[in-house]
């Protein structure tokens, strides 16, 4: 669909629409670890009863329409003390703006706004269902994360035993514990998009694995041994350790952590090491007026690769650098405004990477309208490989997110 009239109409509908997977900025803003809001100790997927009990304080939605925002008997997802269910549905409308290649097959990679509509799509970006069974309450549980769209597959299925001294052990198919678990899987520090730079960790990638963890006080530690990548010759090791402190002077909450992963391949190895941080300022008040809350997140990752270049048949050891930063400002105690910046630089010749650096800027609003409903409206500009037009695009995105 490539007509300007349809695109304008679609955006108009998006802007006039009446209108979570929780994200790391929630953890920093509210001073709660991932395991407080998610059944999965490392984040993502089904939410805990803590979210149901404190949805208004965590999600921060307005009181515009009482039957929607203050229901007398809302569904919590708990069938009984042993069984709970949950779900996420994300439907988006995306307008893709992209220049045509010039005579030498390249496109400009220093453009902020592009005027040519390449495509307009409406997609079910995510439809997932969750099942959690407390086989022995507070001791042993079984978990299933099943995706129904855009593809049909089991993202996670595992059993977890809670051990003394705030430890646990988990086994099954699962997301690996690396870095900030962003909702946006197209970020460079996650899964990337159109073959862009990526660490390879996202909610679209899971592996059979064993995981051990320990969460004493403000500290969280998780490490896994997993099946590894397709052509591996050994298991893949992955781990994350972080600390989230609340009540810090000047900044109310402070996050700091590090991650690592190593996998042996048929001809060498892949390894990543990274660090991440975040802090929260506010809320700010003028007399009794809430002026807003500022939350920052950032991650830096370095990749180390060792493989035989199929083009030269020579062994090469390139490196990679990826960084991500986001700033959130919560206006009126319900309207979150986000600015995010991605940057990646490959130092060497990777088989699938034809350029040295690329970047992406995202700006938008993502308010929750009720405990079961969120909207997003974002502008996203990417500039990268000149010979690949899909790495040089503008996206206008509207998303409706329903969940429980």
């Amino acid at each position: 669909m490539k007509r300007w009239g349809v695109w304008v109409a679609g955006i108009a509908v998006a802007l006039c629409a009446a209108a979570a997977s929780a994200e790391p900025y929630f953890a920093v803003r509210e001073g709660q670890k991932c395991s407080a809001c998610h059944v999965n100790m490392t984040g993502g997927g089904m939410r805990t009863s803590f979210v149901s009990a404190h949805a208004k304080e965590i999600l921060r939605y307005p009181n515009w329409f009482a039957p929607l925002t203050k229901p007398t008997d809302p569904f919590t997802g708990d069938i009984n003390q042993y069984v709970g269910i949950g779900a996420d549905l994300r439907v988006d409308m995306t307008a893709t703006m992209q220049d045509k290649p010039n005579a030498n097959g390249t496109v400009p990679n220093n453009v902020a706004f592009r005027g040519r509509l390449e495509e307009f799509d409406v997609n079910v970006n995510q439809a997932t269902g969750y099942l959690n069974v407390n086989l022995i309450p507070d001791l042993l549980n079984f978990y299933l994360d099943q995706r129904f769209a855009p593809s049909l597959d089991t993202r996670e299925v595992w059993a977890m035993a809670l051990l003394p001294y705030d430890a646990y052990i988990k086994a099954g198919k699962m997301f690996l514990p690396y870095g900030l678990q962003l909702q946006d899987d197209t970020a460079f520090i996650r899964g990337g998009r159109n073959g862009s730079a990526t660490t390879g960790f996202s909610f679209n990638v899971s592996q059979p694995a064993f995981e051990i963890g320990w969460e004493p006080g403000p500290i969280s530690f998780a490490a896994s041994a997993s099946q590894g990548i397709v052509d591996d010759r050994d298991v893949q090791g992955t781990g994350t350790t972080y600390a989230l402190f609340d009540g810090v002077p000047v900044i109310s909450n402070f996050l700091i952590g590090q991650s690592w992963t190593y996998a042996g391949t048929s001809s060498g190895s892949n390894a990543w090491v990274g660090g991440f941080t975040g802090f929260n300022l506010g809320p700010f008040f003028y007399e009794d007026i809430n002026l807003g809350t500022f939350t920052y997140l950032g991650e830096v990752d370095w990749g180390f690769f060792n493989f035989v270049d199929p083009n030269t048949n020579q062994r090469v050891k390139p490196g990679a650098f990826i960084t991500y930063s986001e700033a959130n400002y919560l206006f009126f105690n319900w309207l979150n405004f986000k600015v995010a910046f991605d940057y990646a630089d490959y130092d060497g010749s990777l088989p699938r990477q034809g350029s040295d650096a690329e970047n992406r800027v995202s700006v938008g609003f993502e308010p929750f309208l009720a405990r079961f409903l969120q909207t997003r409206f974002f502008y996203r500009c990417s500039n990268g490989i000149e010979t690949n037009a899909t790495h040089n695009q503008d996206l206008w995105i509207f998303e409706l997110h329903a969940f429980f």
Side-chain angles (χ1 to χ4, degrees):
M1 188 183 302
K2 301 181 180 181
R3 297 177 181 176
W4 274 101
V6 175
W7 176 72
V8 173
I11 294 300
V13 171
L15 290 173
C16 295
S21 296
E23 292 192 67
Y25 81 87
F26 284 167
V28 175
R29 190 180 70 192
E30 307 304 328
Q32 299 287 342
K33 291 189 289 187
C34 300
S35 57
C37 295
H38 291 277
V39 174
N40 190 343
M41 302 291 279
T42 56
M46 186 172 175
R47 299 151 192 89
T48 63
S49 57
F50 176 79
V51 177
S52 297
H54 300 279
K56 187 71 168 66
E57 294 89 341
I58 297 172
L59 303 180
R60 309 291 186 94
Y61 49 83
N63 295 321
W64 286 345
F65 182 51
L68 184 66
T69 58
K70 297 180 180 179
T72 56
D73 191 22
F75 181 56
T76 65
D78 294 326
I79 306 302
N80 54 44
Q81 63 176 322
Y82 300 105
V83 180
I85 60 175
D88 276 289
L89 174 66
R90 298 178 186 273
V91 183
D92 66 55
M93 295 191 296
T94 302
T96 302
M97 316 299 290
Q98 180 179 302
D99 294 330
K100 283 188 174 181
N102 54 29
N104 60 8
T106 65
V107 294
N109 64 352
N110 57 354
V111 179
F113 293 96
R114 296 174 171 90
R116 176 181 171 271
L117 178 65
E118 172 70 15
E119 191 172 20
F120 186 88
D121 289 321
V122 179
N123 292 303
V124 177
N125 197 38
Q126 179 189 6
T128 51
Y130 315 116
L131 170 69
N132 183 55
V133 182
N134 293 308
L135 302 174
I136 305 176
D138 301 320
L139 183 61
L140 181 66
N141 69 307
F142 170 87
Y143 179 78
L144 173 67
D145 177 331
Q146 180 68 37
R147 176 163 48 193
F148 299 96
S151 61
L152 181 63
D153 64 286
T154 301
R155 300 199 309 174
E156 289 197 296
V157 56
W158 43 256
M160 180 174 66
L162 300 177
L163 306 177
Y165 305 106
D166 302 310
Y168 70 89
I169 185 169
K170 185 168 64 175
K173 184 180 181 182
M174 65 190 72
F175 304 126
L176 302 183
Y178 187 94
L180 295 172
Q181 302 278 345
L182 297 180
Q183 180 273 329
D184 178 17
D185 279 332
T186 65
F188 295 165
I189 64 169
R190 300 290 286 163
R193 181 175 180 271
N194 294 331
S196 66
T198 172
T199 63
F201 294 92
S202 76
F203 291 128
N204 293 313
V205 178
S206 56
Q207 295 183 17
F210 285 91
E211 179 181 299
I212 59 172
W214 185 42
E215 292 208 325
I219 298 173
S220 180
F221 164 83
S224 68
S226 63
Q227 174 66 25
I229 56 182
V230 174
D231 65 344
D232 68 339
R233 55 185 173 82
D234 204 347
V235 298
Q236 179 174 350
T238 307
T240 289
T241 303
Y242 71 85
L244 178 58
F245 302 99
D246 60 1
V248 178
V250 182
I251 53 176
S252 55
N253 302 319
F254 177 65
L255 169 72
I256 187 167
Q258 62 83 33
S259 299
W260 60 272
T261 188
Y262 176 87
T265 68
S266 58
S267 63
S269 62
N270 289 338
W272 286 91
V273 62
F276 53 90
T277 189
F279 63 87
N280 188 69
L281 296 173
F284 305 107
F285 287 92
Y286 175 73
E287 296 181 347
D288 293 331
I289 302 174
N290 188 335
L291 300 180
T293 303
F294 176 82
T295 307
Y296 170 81
L297 284 176
E299 178 174 325
V300 177
D301 297 291
W302 290 270
F304 304 91
F305 312 102
N306 183 335
F307 61 92
V308 176
D309 190 324
N311 298 317
T312 63
N313 206 32
Q314 299 293 316
R315 180 165 296 279
V316 293
K317 298 181 179 180
F321 172 76
I322 298 178
T323 184
Y324 173 85
S325 294
E326 73 171 51
N328 299 270
Y329 198 89
L330 186 68
F331 291 96
F332 316 117
N333 203 34
W334 67 269
L335 180 61
N336 190 68
F337 174 70
K338 184 191 296 288
V339 178
F341 178 73
D342 301 66
Y343 178 81
D345 186 8
Y346 275 96
D347 178 19
S349 175
L350 290 175
R352 64 173 178 81
Q353 197 70 31
S355 183
D356 198 37
E358 52 190 321
N359 63 78
R360 191 183 74 156
V361 177
S362 305
V363 181
F365 293 91
E366 46 185 5
F368 287 88
L369 302 183
R371 64 181 301 168
F372 304 114
L373 189 65
Q374 181 190 26
T375 58
R376 296 173 185 266
F377 183 67
F378 270 83
Y379 164 72
R380 180 166 289 155
C381 176
S382 299
N383 285 288
I385 303 169
E386 290 183 320
T387 55
N388 189 335
T390 65
H391 285 217
N392 299 275
Q393 294 179 332
D394 297 342
L395 301 179
W396 294 88
I397 306 167
F398 172 77
E399 179 186 89
L400 183 67
H401 176 206
F403 59 95
F404 66 89

